[in-house]
Amino acid sequence: MAKRRLRTGPTAALPARPDRAELLRLVRLADPGAREDGDDIVAVDVRVHAPVEAEPDLVGGELEQVWACRVTAEGPLPVDFFDRHLAEGLAFRLGGLAVCRGVVDDPADESRPGGPAVILPAPPAAEELIELLEGEVEQEEEFVFVAGGVRVLVVPEKGRPPAAGELLPFAAELTAVELRGDDQAKLGTLALALSEALNGLVVDRWRFRVDRPEDLLPPS
């Protein structure tokens, strides 16, 4: 694949060639209906190209060895920037870097904004949400709460992330309970508790499904 296309991206630049079955498993966290198509993987209308070996200068020498998975949109995206989110989410889980429009990003950089979200089929009542939060709860705005050092925002979910497909038959209005804080494992534990109580599911900032708090931490 032409070097220019890899730099244009979105591309997941990985330190080792990913196992094919593992790559499919990870893509299915973003789209449970993802399938193999020849050597590639197709999720909704996005194609994850088979990994190719690339030069380290693709990521400015940040990795000694680079295996690149370019991600291309082939139709309407279910969520804005779904192709870019797919590349970044794969890079995060496989210990790599993301390349888009010539810019190299480290998805595991703790200074990057974002955190997990609980996707719900309908907005929760404020009183119900407050009862589920830990410690003293301060309501800053109508849909913004702070509890135990965690900022909680209730917002409409933009688009229809494929990971939340199981909620769609019952969804009146997909809603995201976004969690912000410094401790991703703590946020994950709270998100999973809220999901259990409110019949939702947890996704990370790239809209990959999260099943354990550890899923929000970069690989060791």
Side-chain angles (χ1 to χ4, degrees), residues 166-197:
E166 67 186 58
L167 298 179
L168 293 176
F170 316 103
E173 177 186 351
L174 279 184
T175 298
V177 180
E178 301 273 359
L179 304 181
R180 299 289 183 268
D182 296 329
D183 186 336
Q184 289 293 319
K186 177 180 178 180
L187 297 181
T189 299
L190 176 58
L192 289 165
L194 293 176
S195 172
E196 178 72 19

Side-chain angles (χ1 to χ4, degrees), residues 71-164:
V71 181
T72 56
E74 299 185 334
L77 298 179
V79 180
D80 288 346
F81 309 113
F82 182 67
D83 52 347
R84 182 169 183 172
H85 290 167
L86 198 55
E88 292 184 352
L90 290 174
F92 177 80
R93 281 166 176 73
L94 293 169
L97 302 169
V99 183
C100 189
R101 297 180 181 177
V103 177
V104 180
D105 284 318
D106 181 358
D109 184 351
E110 294 181 355
S111 67
R112 290 171 59 111
V118 184
I119 307 298
L120 303 174
E127 297 79 7
E128 183 180 20
L129 184 59
I130 289 172
E131 287 182 1
L132 295 171
L133 297 178
E134 300 174 354
E136 184 177 349
V137 180
E138 176 184 354
Q139 186 168 357
E140 293 187 343
E141 301 176 30
E142 185 177 2
F143 299 108
V144 181
F145 309 87
V146 176
V150 176
R151 190 172 175 85
V152 181
L153 303 90
V154 182
V155 296
E157 174 63 18
K158 297 178 180 178
R160 295 196 163 195

Side-chain angles (χ1 to χ4, degrees), residues 52-66:
V52 296
E53 195 165 9
E55 296 296 327
D57 65 0
L58 176 66
V59 291
E62 292 294 322
L63 299 174
E64 293 182 4
Q65 185 180 30
V66 177

